[in-house]
Amino acid sequence: MFPILVWMYVRLARQEEREALAEFGDEYARYRAKTPAFLPALGKAKYQDNSSTKP
């Protein structure tokens, strides 16, 4: 049963990615290019959040 659940989860995730790409366009495409889909990258992070301001 576990392989079926994983397969269904992957299908759902891919559908959600298509919807996010349609809604957010190039901004999401850039984010997706830098962010692993299912497993976190080992080592240094490729994506840095610059949205917060330092005091």
Side-chain angles (χ1 to χ4, degrees), residues 11 23 38 41:
R11 280 188 61 204
E23 185 172 342
F38 294 101

Side-chain angles (χ1 to χ4, degrees), residues 6-26:
V6 171
W7 176 74
M8 290 177 67
Y9 178 75
V10 169
R11 280 188 61 204
L12 175 63
R14 289 183 178 158
Q15 175 63 35
E16 289 176 348
E17 281 192 341
R18 284 190 296 270
E19 292 171 1
L21 187 58
E23 185 172 342
F24 299 109
D26 290 339

Side-chain angles (χ1 to χ4, degrees), residues 17 28-41 46-47:
E17 281 192 341
Y28 180 73
R30 286 190 302 272
Y31 168 78
R32 186 174 68 174
K34 297 177 184 178
T35 307
F38 294 101
L39 300 175
K46 296 180 182 178
Y47 182 78

